[in-house]
Amino acid sequence: MHKNFELLTTDGCSKARRGRLTTAHGVIDTPAFMPVGTQGSVKGVSPRELREMNAQIVLGNTYHMFVRPGLDVIKYFGGLHNFMNWDGPILTDSGGYQIFSLAKLRKITDDGVEFQNHLDGARTFISPEVAMEIQATLGGDIAMALDECVPYPCEYDYAAQSAEMTTRWAKRCKERKDENAERPTPNVRRRTGESLNYQLSTMNSLLFGIVQGATFDELRKQSAQAIVELDFDGYAIGGVSVGEPEEEMMRAVEAAEPFLPRDKPRYAMGLGTPPQLLEMVARGMDMFDCVLPTRLARNGTAFTATGTLNLKNAGFALDKRPIEENCGCPGCREFSRGYIRHLIKAEEILGLRLITLHNLHFYLNLMSRARAEIESGTFDRFRKAFVPEYKTRDAMMVE
């Protein structure tokens, strides 16, 4: 049987791993950061720009694409890759996060989740089977099992019941994927020039199970063991970065990690700040996604090696330096902090785009650096030097 994931090397002083994940649309070197394209688009950035900054994979969202533009549109265009003009790997989230974020608009039963969707209030039902069918239609390379992401704080009894239901849902997701894989290859009628990528990725997509258990170590252990027993292509740790203190987030990962197979990829969902990513790499995680690089960019905040810069601040008005020295992103190569601040204050879209490009470049480059440090055996030293120096600041004036 072909192995999709190859563990190339590990760090001698931590649990950091250097690996390679093969998908229908390309190879992903890990540790890897996945820019978030919830609506089929990474906000403010084109697929060409993502390719130029060496983004290996992007994330799309099952719930959002299901309610808009809808599956008929996605089918007409031959899958999400064709629709958004992205030829690299795509991971599709199952919609489980919306169970958390749209808590006031949904009702959960063992059958699945009924939403009043956030657009027009129409009733929308997603079961494990429906989640798998939607993701098959999207044609992503990595699908996620449907799970419930519980809030913080959460009572033990509810967290235990939820984790057990997540395991039942995971089993149903795997059964539906296996049923789909046994179907004859569909005879897809193609328009002139349309690729076969949609057809191929639909048949060859990977499926990851999700570990839950809130902030309770024993539940995390039990959930990890139950999900691993179902034998997925990879494993995600969900229900982190939902408002809990950072030490609780780290403990949730530490409680589950020892029970995850070494020869399968591990995905820490919805994380995080640059220091958090390196700490998660040190705890044996391989894949990450987070909206912070794009969301904070739209608020005028840029990431640098020593912390964040709030470029709205008046102190940057006459600053001729780039956002970060020796950065290769378009914003830093061509423009000054002072000019970008002017664009933000004038509400010019270019300013927000330039910071977005910089922030994504920073995150992707951080993971590239982490891979190189693991290979050279210096990751732990790199992490210990980076994390204490990094500061998230609401303000940073000209030196």
Side-chain angles (χ1 to χ4, degrees):
M1 181 178 176
H2 174 69
K3 287 183 67 68
N4 297 299
F5 182 73
E6 182 182 6
L7 183 60
L8 301 176
T9 189
T10 56
D11 180 56
C13 299
S14 72
K15 293 184 177 182
R17 297 144 48 95
R18 169 76 173 90
R20 183 167 293 138
L21 176 61
T22 301
T23 75
H25 282 86
V27 173
I28 303 158
D29 289 306
T30 64
F33 177 76
M34 301 180 284
V36 177
T38 300
Q39 308 275 4
S41 170
V42 177
K43 291 187 184 298
V45 182
S46 72
R48 175 183 57 78
E49 289 168 324
L50 289 169
R51 285 188 285 269
E52 288 172 352
M53 65 177 78
N54 298 318
Q56 302 180 88
I57 177 173
V58 298
L59 183 145
N61 185 272
T62 295
Y63 165 81
H64 285 283
M65 299 304 291
F66 181 47
V67 299
R68 182 175 56 193
L71 298 187
D72 288 342
V73 173
I74 300 297
K75 285 180 182 177
Y76 178 80
F77 281 92
L80 187 54
H81 287 90
N82 287 349
F83 188 49
M84 64 183 289
N85 191 32
W86 170 255
D87 58 3
I90 296 175
L91 182 148
T92 51
D93 191 3
S94 66
Y97 185 76
Q98 280 64 49
I99 298 175
F100 164 76
S101 64
L102 300 177
K104 295 180 180 179
L105 302 174
R106 52 81 169 148
K107 178 181 178 182
I108 304 174
T109 68
D110 208 56
D111 291 334
V113 188
E114 185 176 37
F115 295 90
Q116 283 182 284
N117 82 54
H118 68 292
L119 296 178
D120 58 12
R123 292 189 180 279
T124 303
F125 181 73
I126 298 181
S127 66
E129 292 78 12
V130 170
M132 294 310 300
E133 293 299 330
I134 296 170
Q135 291 182 86
T137 300
L138 294 176
D141 299 82
I142 302 172
M144 302 301 298
L146 185 66
D147 66 318
E148 181 187 5
C149 177
V150 297
Y152 176 86
C154 180
E155 295 291 335
Y156 180 91
D157 288 347
Y158 186 88
Q161 293 169 11
S162 175
E164 290 171 1
M165 184 178 68
T166 288
T167 299
R168 293 193 296 272
W169 283 0
K171 185 173 186 293
R172 287 163 58 186
C173 285
K174 191 168 190 299
E175 288 171 349
R176 178 53 60 94
K177 183 181 184 298
D178 291 343
E179 290 173 9
N180 289 344
E182 292 173 1
R183 295 176 185 171
T185 302
N187 182 18
V188 180
R189 187 170 63 184
R190 292 176 290 150
R191 300 184 306 280
T192 302
E194 184 181 37
S195 77
L196 280 171
N197 283 349
Y198 163 63
Q199 183 176 341
L200 292 174
S201 65
T202 297
M203 305 308 293
N204 298 317
S205 65
L206 307 177
L207 178 60
F208 284 17
I210 303 177
V211 175
Q212 288 290 346
T215 56
F216 304 100
D217 292 0
E218 186 63 24
L219 293 183
R220 286 286 177 179
K221 171 185 173 181
Q222 293 171 6
S223 177
Q225 290 173 320
I227 294 295
V228 167
E229 192 173 330
L230 295 174
D231 191 24
F232 287 95
D233 299 305
Y235 299 93
I237 298 180
V240 289
S241 193
V242 292
E244 76 278 21
E246 186 174 277
E247 57 269 23
E248 295 282 2
M249 180 195 309
M250 298 296 171
R251 275 185 49 220
V253 171
E254 291 168 355
E257 184 275 334
F259 305 97
L260 302 180
R262 281 175 50 85
D263 61 348
K264 300 283 183 76
R266 293 117 168 238
Y267 166 25
M269 304 180 75
L271 295 170
T273 65
Q276 286 172 351
L277 294 191
L278 292 183
E279 291 297 335
M280 288 295 172
V281 169
R283 287 161 172 77
M285 298 297 106
D286 304 309
M287 300 168 66
F288 311 92
D289 75 282
C290 189
V291 298
L292 283 181
T294 51
R295 178 176 292 169
L296 293 189
R298 298 194 299 278
N299 292 318
T301 299
F303 288 92
T304 74
T306 56
T308 55
L309 304 181
N310 184 346
L311 292 171
K312 291 181 179 179
N313 286 343
F316 294 114
L318 301 179
D319 196 334
K320 293 183 178 180
R321 293 174 296 175
I323 296 174
E324 185 161 35
E325 299 289 350
N326 302 315
C327 174
C329 81
C332 291
R333 288 200 313 265
E334 302 175 31
F335 302 103
S336 68
R337 294 176 179 181
Y339 178 64
I340 294 173
R341 177 186 182 272
H342 157 71
L343 294 175
I344 296 165
K345 300 299 286 186
E347 299 184 352
E348 288 288 341
I349 294 172
L350 177 60
L352 305 183
R353 267 186 34 80
L354 290 174
I355 302 175
T356 299
L357 289 168
H358 169 81
N359 285 353
L360 287 172
H361 179 275
F362 179 84
Y363 267 65
L364 292 165
N365 189 61
L366 182 66
M367 290 296 97
S368 177
R369 176 77 183 273
R371 294 192 295 270
E373 298 285 352
I374 294 170
E375 287 177 350
S376 64
T378 54
F379 172 79
D380 198 53
R381 187 170 64 206
F382 166 64
R383 171 180 67 101
K384 289 177 178 176
F386 180 94
V387 173
E389 292 296 320
Y390 192 91
K391 300 184 186 302
T392 302
R393 304 162 186 165
D394 292 327
M396 185 169 181
M397 308 306 287
V398 177
E399 295 172 359

